[in-house]
Amino acid sequence: MSTLPGIVVTGASGRMGQMLIRTIQESGKARLVGALERPGHDWVGKDVGVCMGGAPLGVLVEDDPLEAFARAHAVIDFTAPAATVEFAALAAQARCVHVIGTTGMSEAEIAKLEPASRHAVIVRAGNMSLGVNLLVKLTQKVAAALDEDFDIEIIEAHHHHKVDAPSGTALMLGEAAAEGRGVQLADVSDRGRDGITGARKRGDIGFSAIRGGDIVGEHDVLFAAPGERIVLRHVATDRAIFARGALRAALWGQDKKPGEYDMMDVLGL
């Protein structure tokens, strides 16, 4: 058991944090060696299993990331952009794989990960599921096959707690569509329509976001032309798919050279 890779989970009290902890414990492929929360959090100093309402796991919740990372082979991080940037530098110091599922990162924040990637493996993706990454690949191929007679619209739906829009997955899909068409997403992105917006611009890639209830994640890529529509769709019903993908990425990264990778690399797509 002690030879299995040791994993630290950041944001342990969150929905994804708890799912990651359960997934690691049940996997038989890794060990939970650390659970992190922000200083002052109620869980700090307590057994994370008990905090989650179950049996003790022998892992206390901590608020010192560097100390936790020093004994880990990988860190799985679904937190907030500012925290993720800080964790990247510390994970690089510890030379452990940093798996990033954090969404809502700006281009400037993403750029701050580059120095850390020179010393350690970073696997970052807007979505860790196999199905979504297949959808990304299909979106690129369909966009490349169709001309601008087909409008592209990306429609995503998530639970009412989600704080960023469009979702990281929607942006992945938008980037894939733009790549398929040979354009930059920043030049053709169409968001936030409201009021008298005028007709849709030919070649734009549109985004629509829905928030409500407990929707785990739904993503449609619509290709609409006069007289026909093509819809590519992925529906997530259990966030465990993201946790399993993140664990797979953490294990995959163990023998890789320092650098920035994504789930396409992990899945060999």
Side-chain angles (χ1 to χ4, degrees):
M1 184 72 173
S2 61
T3 62
L4 296 177
I7 312 289
V8 171
V9 173
T10 64
S13 71
R15 288 187 300 276
M16 272 307 304
Q18 294 188 51
M19 180 60 71
L20 286 162
I21 289 167
R22 286 191 287 269
T23 299
I24 292 165
Q25 289 295 108
E26 294 168 2
S27 72
K29 299 176 181 178
R31 296 173 294 130
L32 181 71
V33 298
L36 282 174
E37 263 303 342
R38 62 186 181 278
H41 194 280
D42 290 345
W43 285 23
V44 174
K46 301 174 183 176
D47 187 284
V48 69
V50 174
C51 291
M52 290 169 55
L57 298 180
V59 175
L60 299 181
V61 180
E62 305 168 73
D63 59 9
D64 184 342
L66 186 55
E67 183 175 326
F69 295 174
R71 60 176 181 274
H73 296 90
V75 178
I76 303 181
D77 175 18
F78 284 70
T79 53
T84 291
V85 170
E86 178 183 347
F87 291 148
L90 298 176
Q93 287 185 48
R95 300 298 192 267
C96 57
V97 175
H98 187 190
V99 177
I100 300 173
T102 302
T103 59
M105 298 187 73
S106 68
E107 289 300 320
E109 288 163 334
I110 292 169
K112 290 178 181 178
L113 302 176
E114 194 276 333
S117 72
R118 294 200 293 265
H119 303 284
V121 171
I122 293 177
V123 182
R124 186 181 67 85
N127 193 298
M128 297 283 175
S129 86
L130 172 60
V132 160
N133 283 278
L134 286 171
L135 178 61
V136 169
K137 182 63 72 173
L138 288 170
T139 297
Q140 180 189 1
K141 288 184 175 296
V142 174
L146 302 176
D147 63 21
E148 291 185 351
D149 286 342
F150 283 82
D151 296 322
I152 302 176
E153 190 80 11
I154 297 165
I155 306 105
E156 54 102 342
H158 285 86
H159 53 85
H160 58 211
H161 295 293
K162 188 167 181 61
V163 298
D164 58 306
S167 69
T169 303
L171 293 172
M172 284 173 61
L173 293 165
E175 292 284 0
E179 183 177 350
R181 284 200 165 163
V183 298
Q184 295 295 314
L185 180 60
D187 296 332
V188 296
S189 181
D190 181 10
R191 306 187 194 181
R193 304 184 192 100
D194 185 29
I196 307 301
T197 60
R200 181 187 179 112
K201 183 180 176 183
R202 181 179 171 86
D204 275 358
I205 296 174
F207 291 85
S208 300
I210 297 165
R211 297 290 178 266
D214 60 355
I215 301 170
V216 174
E218 299 179 5
H219 293 86
D220 290 342
V221 184
L222 169 67
F223 297 85
E228 60 181 329
R229 285 174 289 175
I230 300 167
V231 181
L232 305 178
R233 184 166 219 229
H234 180 271
V235 176
T237 58
D238 185 348
R239 59 177 43 88
I241 64 173
F242 312 128
R244 289 193 293 268
L247 177 57
R248 182 168 176 172
L251 299 175
W252 175 88
Q254 292 305 306
D255 60 353
K256 302 301 181 293
K257 295 179 180 179
E260 293 189 61
Y261 302 89
D262 59 22
M263 285 301 290
M264 295 295 182
D265 298 310
V266 175
L267 299 172
L269 295 175

